[in-house]
Amino acid sequence: MLNLLTAERIKLFRSKKLWIVLSLLILLPIYQALNSKMSVHYGNELVQAIDTVINGATGILMMEKNGLTILLIISAFISFLIGEEFQNGTIRNALSLGRSRTHYYLSKFVVAALLTLFGVIIMTVLGMLSFSIVFGYGEVAEINNYFSYALKSFGTLYLLILANVSIYVMVSFLTKRSSVSLIWSFIYTIGTGFVPGIFQQTEHFKQVTYWFTESFMFYSDFANPTDIAKYPEMILVSLITIVLSSTIGILLFKRTDIK
């Protein structure tokens, strides 16, 4: 497993895909801070419930503000990262050396998880700095212990994103082609992100939509005490999604013919 991760690290640092992903996540918060500044300059008022990030303190919610963008970027990265292994036949090199398929699958998941973590940390820090410079650090309304709130919010948001990462890894291993994986990952992301919005209007199906982690990301206000109280539920759904998708992905990958 360590040898596989070392090999992944070497390939990753030589890949343009890594730097493209990081560049996008770096530029995004800076652009948004400047864009918000221009919006205020022309007479608009930033509202936390709508704009999510309005000062340095709420910058901890950059993952919520950019949830869809992050998922689309990461899903594209994973689709090419794994799909190219099948298309170029390089996956045979590792398997021919006796590497476990489970370890191979998990090594890809770990790489995707670590890249996502590193990327969102950079984006969040830059978001907090950029919005602090433009609008001041400020505070989060109704939050007394900010440090505890920040840790819980960041960890919960990352787990919600990680649950989707596990889905993208599973889809990529099942489809074996970058283009096909990209299409299905985008369909999953858009579908589970926006279709639940329709069922949110119904009393009977509203709760069912929260078995999809994107429902929490897109339809919750992480600065609202009512939604903050749902953090344990968000974490539970995320962990269940990660375990189920990884188990299904590994089991089906073991039965896959590598041509």
Side-chain angles (χ1 to χ4, degrees):
M1 183 71 173
L2 290 177
N3 289 336
L4 286 172
L5 289 175
T6 300
E8 291 294 338
R9 178 178 60 81
I10 294 172
K11 287 190 292 185
L12 200 58
F13 279 114
R14 294 176 178 175
S15 171
K16 293 181 180 179
K17 295 187 290 291
L18 170 65
W19 306 113
I20 292 174
V21 170
L22 292 180
S23 296
L24 291 173
L25 296 180
I26 287 172
L27 293 174
L28 193 58
I30 298 174
Y31 164 76
Q32 289 176 333
L34 295 175
N35 186 59
S36 296
K37 177 64 175 178
M38 291 297 295
S39 178
V40 171
H41 176 73
Y42 285 107
N44 296 318
E45 181 181 354
L46 297 182
V47 179
Q48 193 283 318
I50 298 174
D51 300 291
T52 306
V53 178
I54 60 174
N55 55 28
T58 53
I60 196 67
L61 303 179
M62 287 300 295
M63 277 186 282
E64 180 193 1
K65 182 177 179 66
N66 298 290
L68 179 61
T69 303
I70 294 171
L71 292 178
L72 293 177
I73 291 173
I74 295 300
S75 65
F77 169 80
I78 293 173
S79 296
F80 286 106
L81 175 72
I82 297 174
E84 288 177 356
E85 295 278 9
F86 284 96
Q87 292 167 217
N88 298 333
T90 51
I91 186 175
R92 292 194 299 267
N93 298 335
L95 299 182
S96 64
L97 294 174
R99 305 300 183 193
S100 165
R101 289 198 178 198
T102 299
H103 287 170
Y104 187 86
Y105 185 100
L106 292 177
S107 69
K108 293 294 185 182
F109 176 65
V110 170
V111 166
L114 290 177
L115 172 64
T116 303
L117 177 60
F118 185 64
V120 296
I121 287 176
I122 293 176
M123 185 186 69
T124 301
V125 170
L126 287 176
M128 295 179 75
L129 289 173
S130 299
F131 276 85
S132 293
I133 292 172
V134 176
F135 299 106
Y137 189 76
E139 61 180 11
V140 181
E142 299 185 62
I143 300 299
N144 297 320
N145 189 339
Y146 178 78
F147 183 73
S148 174
Y149 162 76
L151 287 178
K152 291 178 181 178
S153 296
F154 183 89
T156 302
L157 282 165
Y158 174 68
L159 274 178
L160 290 172
I161 290 176
L162 187 61
N164 287 276
V165 169
S166 69
I167 295 289
Y168 301 146
V169 172
M170 179 189 71
V171 169
S172 295
F173 270 97
L174 295 183
T175 57
K176 308 181 195 66
R177 294 187 64 83
S178 298
S179 57
V180 179
S181 173
L182 190 63
I183 292 171
W184 280 110
S185 294
F186 277 19
I187 290 175
Y188 170 82
T189 302
I190 301 298
T192 58
F194 293 103
V195 172
I198 300 173
F199 295 98
Q200 289 280 324
Q201 311 304 318
T202 66
E203 190 63 32
H204 297 292
F205 293 99
K206 182 177 181 179
Q207 192 58 35
V208 176
T209 62
Y210 285 109
W211 279 102
F212 297 96
T213 55
E214 288 183 57
S215 295
F216 289 113
M217 293 185 65
F218 295 167
Y219 304 106
S220 299
D221 180 1
F222 284 73
N224 186 319
T226 302
D227 291 326
I228 292 173
K230 296 180 182 179
Y231 280 3
E233 182 182 348
M234 298 181 190
I235 293 172
L236 177 61
V237 173
S238 298
L239 293 176
I240 290 174
T241 302
I242 293 170
V243 172
L244 285 178
S245 60
S246 297
T247 300
I248 293 172
I250 290 172
L251 290 176
L252 295 179
F253 176 50
K254 285 183 175 180
R255 301 174 185 175
T256 299
D257 291 330
I258 307 298
K259 299 180 180 179

